[in-house]
Amino acid sequence: MTTTLITGANKGIGHETARQLIAAGHTVYVGARDAERGRRAAEQLGARFVLLDVTDDTTVEAAAKTIEADGGLDVLINNAGIETRGEGNSVPTAETLTADQMRNTFETNVFGVVRVTHAFLPLLQRSAAPVVVNISSGLASLTHLSDPDHPAHFYPGVAYPTSKTAVNMLTVQYAKAFPNMRINSVEPGFTKTDLNGNTGTQTVEQAAEIIVRMAQVAPDGPTGGYFDVNGPLPW
């Protein structure tokens, strides 16, 4: 039985990913910072709940101890993420972005990934087939955002894509450091969720497809890559 932890899994893409992996036979821990919402989601899914706020060392360390006591971990999905939105669902642009907004975004999207990965590395290293899936974004691609012929070029925000580009670098470096693990970044697609004010163009079911696929990658599968549902993406 494969045991999987998904951060930020009480709603949206994380919740749907949990549903699909449970259907595939995984034992899934729903990580959530809100205990009531997390427990409710876990009950609906037939999953296990663990209190986990990726910005808080105490809850992350406690979650690691809980999952270790229950038998360990095979798959970590770093899904929790935020995007700052302002009036009219606007994003801070290069002209308006403040250091505090950037810091707040990185605290969850980047430092959160490091914090959780660090805490669960000992458990993953004991697994026969350890896997880490980092949820990135198509907006992390320097190639696409610098190409005036690509739709992503016109996204005006700074903090969110910068944080996800950093996640891609974490993926590359962790994959090199731990060659026995399969560690990859995935782009779920522009999905209708609370993160973007429900302006996305695809469903959570569609978004979860690539995450579920990479969560089940074989020990001889790709590592240190950046993928969407159609295959590798340019950095």
Side-chain angles (χ1 to χ4, degrees), residues 71-86:
L73 187 69
D74 302 296
V75 180
L76 169 62
I77 301 178
N78 285 308
N79 168 74
I82 62 169
E83 180 183 24
T84 300
R85 292 270 169 162

Side-chain angles (χ1 to χ4, degrees), residues 28-101:
V28 173
Y29 283 89
V30 167
R33 61 184 177 182
D34 184 300
E36 182 179 346
R37 292 177 182 175
R39 287 196 182 93
R40 189 184 312 129
E43 283 180 16
Q44 291 171 347
L45 290 163
R48 301 177 182 182
F49 166 68
V50 63
L51 183 67
L52 194 159
D53 178 346
V54 303
T55 69
D56 178 72
D57 287 318
T58 301
T59 65
V60 172
E61 290 165 6
K65 289 178 182 176
T66 295
I67 293 174
E68 180 180 25
D70 285 348
L73 187 69
D74 302 296
V75 180
L76 169 62
I77 301 178
N78 285 308
N79 168 74
I82 62 169
E83 180 183 24
T84 300
R85 292 270 169 162
E87 188 176 346
N89 203 38
S90 63
V91 296
T93 64
E95 183 179 8
T96 64
L97 177 71
T98 67
D100 283 344
Q101 288 170 333

Side-chain angles (χ1 to χ4, degrees), residues 65-211:
K65 289 178 182 176
T66 295
I67 293 174
E68 180 180 25
D70 285 348
L73 187 69
D74 302 296
V75 180
L76 169 62
I77 301 178
N78 285 308
N79 168 74
I82 62 169
E83 180 183 24
T84 300
R85 292 270 169 162
E87 188 176 346
N89 203 38
S90 63
V91 296
T93 64
E95 183 179 8
T96 64
L97 177 71
T98 67
D100 283 344
Q101 288 170 333
M102 179 70 88
R103 186 178 296 110
N104 184 57
T105 302
F106 265 61
E107 188 60 53
T108 295
N109 295 3
V110 182
F111 304 147
V113 170
V114 174
R115 182 176 286 109
V116 173
T117 302
H118 177 74
F120 284 92
L121 271 174
L123 276 65
L124 290 166
Q125 288 176 305
R126 295 174 205 159
S127 170
V131 172
V132 178
V133 181
N134 293 325
I135 308 308
S136 182
S137 169
L139 295 173
S141 171
L142 298 175
T143 301
H144 285 166
L145 265 72
S146 59
D147 178 3
D149 292 325
H150 195 280
H153 176 77
F154 301 97
Y155 176 82
V158 178
Y160 182 76
T162 304
S163 73
K164 292 301 186 178
T165 301
V167 167
N168 282 357
M169 180 60 79
L170 292 174
T171 294
V172 169
Q173 296 300 83
Y174 277 126
K176 289 191 296 183
F178 303 102
N180 63 312
M181 299 186 189
R182 302 297 91 182
I183 304 175
N184 292 289
S185 285
V186 301
E187 141 68 325
F190 186 37
T191 307
K192 186 177 181 181
T193 66
D194 290 346
L195 181 131
N196 54 44
N198 293 298
T199 58
T201 55
Q202 67 173 19
T203 65
V204 290
E205 290 82 4
Q206 292 170 312
E209 181 181 345
I210 183 59
I211 306 172

